[in-house]
Amino acid sequence: MSVAVAPLRARRGRADARDRRGRIARLTTAGALAIAAAALIATEATTRAAEAILAREFIGLVAPGRAVAAGPIVWFGIGTPEVTGLVITTMCSTTVLAVPLLLLAVAITGITRAPTGRIGIGLLVGLGLAVFCNMVRFASAAWAYGAYGREGFDLVHRYVGSLFVIVGFVLAIVLLLRISLRESGQRGRVGRPAGPRTGGTLPAAVAAPEEISAPGATEAAPAVTAASRRAASGADASRTSSRAAASRTEASRTTASRTGSPPTAASPTATSRTQAPRAAGSRADDSRANEESSR
């Protein structure tokens, strides 16, 4: 028994060590994401300047003239009679969208057992979608100002663009959750037998492997297996004989129904026995009649 218990303890120890390392890695990842969220909040001015550089590329595709970024301001319409500057404020910055996504990733890492790699992929997809939606809002606001003036800018920036960003932010959250918490397709197949399913029960030697693998039972295992095989063969023979008897009974019933005789195997014997006393009685009556006529 001590030989069998020692490997189990070693396996448990290795499993506990893996779980401990996994918890430490997850806590480290969650802490790093929380620090990244705090850094975005602390350096939001620098973040808005970087956003202006990225927004310049999108605005230059739809606005007239050239677009130039200077700090958190994107100037467009350079080379035309009217030059306009689009200021990226704190509430319009992508930081407002990125920080909640980072905090959600921290919660997923700390609460669930989802793989950190999958969480990272979901976070990157969500952040990319949020940044893209905000850049599209900046570009559409600049285009509306150049085409329709201040009224078009207010309509797109306050209503249409804001609604578009909200929809994109909700979609980013959904993608982060779906990618992070998605179940693996191969996990549900583990443990299923490769062969076809059968409704029968397993033999005793297969259904109770602990009896064969137990210490001191290796010599008795062949005897148990042979006994189970003999019992199974005897059961099969009894089933075969019962089926043959049933088929013979059914055949006798069919023959009896065709000839008009009673459907029992003992009916001919019973009939002959009942007819024999009657014949003996008739012979006795004939002898008595002969004796009376002779007198």
Side-chain angles (χ1 to χ4, degrees):
M1 295 298 293
S2 60
V3 177
V5 172
L8 294 177
R9 291 180 178 177
R11 291 177 183 176
R12 290 178 181 176
R14 289 194 295 268
D16 293 340
R18 284 197 302 269
D19 292 341
R20 193 179 302 109
R21 290 193 298 268
R23 285 195 297 269
I24 293 174
R26 297 179 70 82
L27 291 176
T28 303
T29 303
L33 293 175
I35 292 173
L40 283 177
I41 296 174
T43 60
E44 58 91 18
T46 306
T47 304
R48 286 188 288 120
E51 284 186 74
I53 297 174
L54 183 60
R56 177 192 62 190
E57 304 298 330
F58 283 83
I59 293 174
L61 297 175
V62 296
R66 294 188 305 108
V68 177
I73 304 174
V74 180
W75 299 94
F76 60 93
I78 299 174
T80 63
E82 185 178 3
V83 177
T84 308
L86 179 65
V87 181
I88 300 176
T89 62
T90 302
M91 295 306 298
C92 293
S93 175
T94 310
T95 304
V96 180
L97 307 175
V99 171
L101 292 175
L102 288 171
L103 295 180
L104 179 59
V106 171
I108 295 173
T109 306
I111 296 175
T112 67
R113 298 180 63 87
T116 55
R118 196 178 298 168
I119 296 174
I121 294 174
L123 180 60
L124 290 178
V125 172
L127 289 175
L129 182 60
V131 172
F132 175 78
C133 291
N134 209 24
M135 295 300 112
V136 170
R137 180 176 68 164
F138 293 155
S140 60
W143 171 82
Y145 184 84
Y148 302 101
R150 185 69 184 186
E151 292 79 7
F153 174 82
D154 292 339
L155 177 64
V156 172
H157 179 261
R158 294 180 181 179
Y159 302 104
V160 180
S162 298
L163 181 62
F164 178 74
V165 170
I166 291 173
V167 172
F169 178 65
V170 172
L171 184 59
I173 292 176
V174 172
L175 289 176
L176 173 57
L177 293 174
R178 289 292 299 273
I179 296 174
S180 301
L181 304 178
R182 182 184 60 187
E183 293 292 336
S184 178
Q186 299 294 333
R187 187 175 300 174
R189 302 179 184 177
V190 175
R192 294 183 180 179
R197 295 182 180 178
T198 57
T201 58
L202 295 175
V206 180
E210 64 275 4
E211 296 180 359
I212 299 175
S213 60
T218 56
E219 297 180 357
V224 174
T225 305
S228 62
R229 289 178 180 175
R230 288 195 296 271
S233 62
D236 294 338
S238 63
R239 292 194 191 98
T240 304
S241 61
S242 62
R243 290 176 183 174
S247 62
R248 288 196 297 270
T249 304
E250 185 65 24
S252 64
R253 289 178 181 175
T254 305
T255 305
S257 62
R258 291 179 180 177
T259 58
S261 60
T264 57
S267 59
T269 306
T271 304
S272 62
R273 288 179 181 176
T274 54
Q275 289 177 359
R278 291 179 183 177
S282 62
R283 285 195 296 271
D285 294 338
D286 293 340
S287 62
R288 289 176 183 176
N290 293 331
E291 289 176 359
E292 290 179 356
S293 60
S294 62
R295 289 177 185 177

